[in-house]
Amino acid sequence: MINIYEATGIMKDTKLCKIEDLELKKAIVIKGNNKYSPGVIIYKGESSIHIWFNNCPHANLTLDLIEGRVQSKNNDLLCANHGAKFNPQTGECYKGPCISSFLTNFPFKVKNNYLIAGN
């Protein structure tokens, strides 16, 4: 099992972002202090927020084409490298080379309107 904090480059208790800075049905990428680490994908749905390790299970590459943004259209997350599509609520790949695989969940909590790494 991977150490999710080392893998993402984001340590436990790190402030990720303010909830009000998130756009509905959009995904952003937050990186830690090491700009070369993949970071996490934060997706805000209608009634929930999901955070995933920014790593496609198919090729061990990040999902973002333009740094900081993962394409999220038609209620999915798109891997810019091979076109895999993921359900942003469950993390499941439903189209592409990693079908039936899942993005890795990143633990978080909400405190004072901030998303904080760790539970």
Side-chain angles (χ1 to χ4, degrees):
M1 179 144 195
I2 65 168
N3 178 324
I4 196 70
Y5 304 108
E6 285 181 15
T8 60
I10 298 175
M11 296 300 109
K12 193 172 184 179
D13 297 321
T14 300
K15 280 186 181 179
L16 301 171
C17 67
K18 286 184 174 182
I19 292 175
E20 63 255 20
D21 292 341
L22 300 173
E23 294 181 53
L24 186 62
K25 295 187 177 181
K26 297 284 184 183
I28 63 169
V29 174
I30 301 291
K31 294 193 175 205
N33 291 336
N34 178 353
K35 68 178 184 174
Y36 299 108
S37 61
V40 295
I41 300 164
I42 303 175
Y43 177 85
K44 182 180 181 185
E46 291 284 346
S47 60
S48 59
I49 295 172
H50 299 276
I51 304 183
W52 308 103
F53 176 24
N54 185 16
N55 185 296
C56 180
H58 165 244
N60 224 13
L61 298 168
T62 62
L63 274 70
D64 47 339
L65 175 63
I66 298 170
E67 190 170 323
R69 285 265 180 214
V70 172
Q71 189 173 356
S72 53
K73 55 194 244 204
N74 303 324
N75 203 27
D76 58 25
L77 299 175
L78 178 66
C79 177
N81 293 290
H82 296 102
K85 291 185 178 182
F86 297 87
N87 178 317
Q89 309 287 325
T90 65
E92 182 177 13
C93 178
Y94 65 89
K95 185 176 181 185
C98 54
I99 199 158
S100 298
S101 296
F102 287 83
L103 296 173
T104 302
N105 189 41
F106 185 83
F108 73 98
K109 58 191 169 200
V110 177
K111 186 175 180 181
N112 298 326
N113 271 346
Y114 280 92
L115 299 179
I116 311 289
N119 22 356

